[in-house]
Amino acid sequence: RLAEFEVGETAVLVATVVQANGRAMRNRKGRMLEAVIEDADGAQARLVFFRAWGHEQKLIPGATALFRGKLEAYRGSFQLAHPEYTFVADDESASVYASGLIPTYLAVPKTTDLSITIAMQQVLGSWEGDDPVPAELVDRHGLPSLHEAYRLLHLPTSRADIGRGKRRLRYDEALVVQTALAARRAEQDAQRGTPRVAREGGLLS
């Protein structure tokens, strides 16, 4: 929601188009599109596209989408210039985001959050990898498997899922560090010292 972001931040929010107006630009050729979106709180922001082509037929009043863009202040109101967007009311999006939670990712040019989520569904659906953490440790600490942890993070059904997935990955990071330190200590302990006879003017002196 708009209230969660400050001017200058990258905003990611679900909103509905309530107004859209395409028009010819004054100082150069082509058409631009101005639209107004509204979030669940009723807060509004202005969208502007200086190339209306490809957007004018999609961003019509009533369309609901996940918008991502830099939040700016313009004439006393919020504005997103050329935001990326993914519709969340069509059949494909509805099935992917059935839980109501929408994972968002670092911006990747020409790639939407929806396409990344769909890719993750395919990857996790054909997962055949082994879990590097022994089953005994996973059971002892009540952790999900690595496959399940990735599913909880990329395809969550609740916010509790996200916490469980993060906990497993944090455990993996800590285990790797502690294992490396233990291996280093074991290597040092295995080294045998060679006795040296003290001599005048030597290191001991």
Side-chain angles (χ1 to χ4, degrees):
R1 298 181 181 182
L2 280 167
E4 300 175 22
F5 305 98
E6 296 182 359
V7 172
E9 290 184 330
T10 297
V12 182
L13 70 152
V14 175
T16 300
V17 178
V18 294
Q19 182 181 336
N21 178 38
R23 60 179 175 81
M25 289 187 285
R26 296 177 181 176
N27 301 322
R28 54 179 172 174
K29 295 180 180 180
R31 289 174 59 80
M32 67 178 294
L33 175 66
E34 293 180 320
V36 176
I37 57 173
E38 185 174 278
D39 68 10
D41 294 330
Q44 294 185 344
R46 175 176 176 263
L47 305 183
V48 58
F49 295 87
F50 293 106
R51 290 184 179 178
W53 186 84
H55 305 292
E56 200 167 2
Q57 295 76 25
K58 298 177 182 178
L59 294 174
I60 58 177
T64 299
L66 174 72
F67 295 92
R68 176 205 292 269
K70 185 177 180 180
L71 189 63
E72 302 170 339
Y74 180 77
R75 294 182 178 178
S77 62
F78 291 126
Q79 174 178 288
L80 298 172
H82 296 275
E84 299 176 2
Y85 56 91
T86 301
F87 292 105
V88 296
D90 56 31
D91 292 341
E92 184 177 41
S93 298
S95 62
V96 172
Y97 300 136
S99 69
L101 292 175
I102 301 175
T104 57
Y105 299 88
L106 293 176
V108 179
K110 299 182 180 180
T111 303
T112 65
D113 290 320
L114 177 62
S115 63
I116 295 176
T117 300
I118 292 174
M120 291 306 304
Q121 278 186 325
Q122 296 173 344
V123 169
L124 294 173
S126 58
W127 175 283
E128 294 181 355
D130 295 326
D131 195 326
V133 177
E136 177 188 351
L137 291 179
V138 172
D139 293 340
R140 182 191 307 171
H141 297 289
L143 299 170
S145 67
L146 186 59
H147 172 263
E148 179 68 3
Y150 283 130
R151 189 194 67 77
L152 293 172
L153 289 171
H154 293 282
L155 305 171
T157 59
S158 69
R159 293 192 178 276
D161 285 353
I162 302 170
R164 290 183 61 218
K166 285 184 176 180
R167 180 170 177 264
R168 167 59 204 264
L169 296 190
R170 290 193 186 105
Y171 178 83
D172 283 19
E173 291 179 1
L175 182 63
V176 167
V177 172
Q178 292 301 319
T179 301
L181 292 176
R184 187 177 302 171
R185 287 194 296 269
E187 182 180 354
Q188 292 173 345
D189 291 344
Q191 294 179 354
R192 300 185 63 180
T194 302
R196 303 293 181 183
V197 178
R199 62 182 177 82
E200 186 178 351
L203 183 60
L204 184 60
S205 299

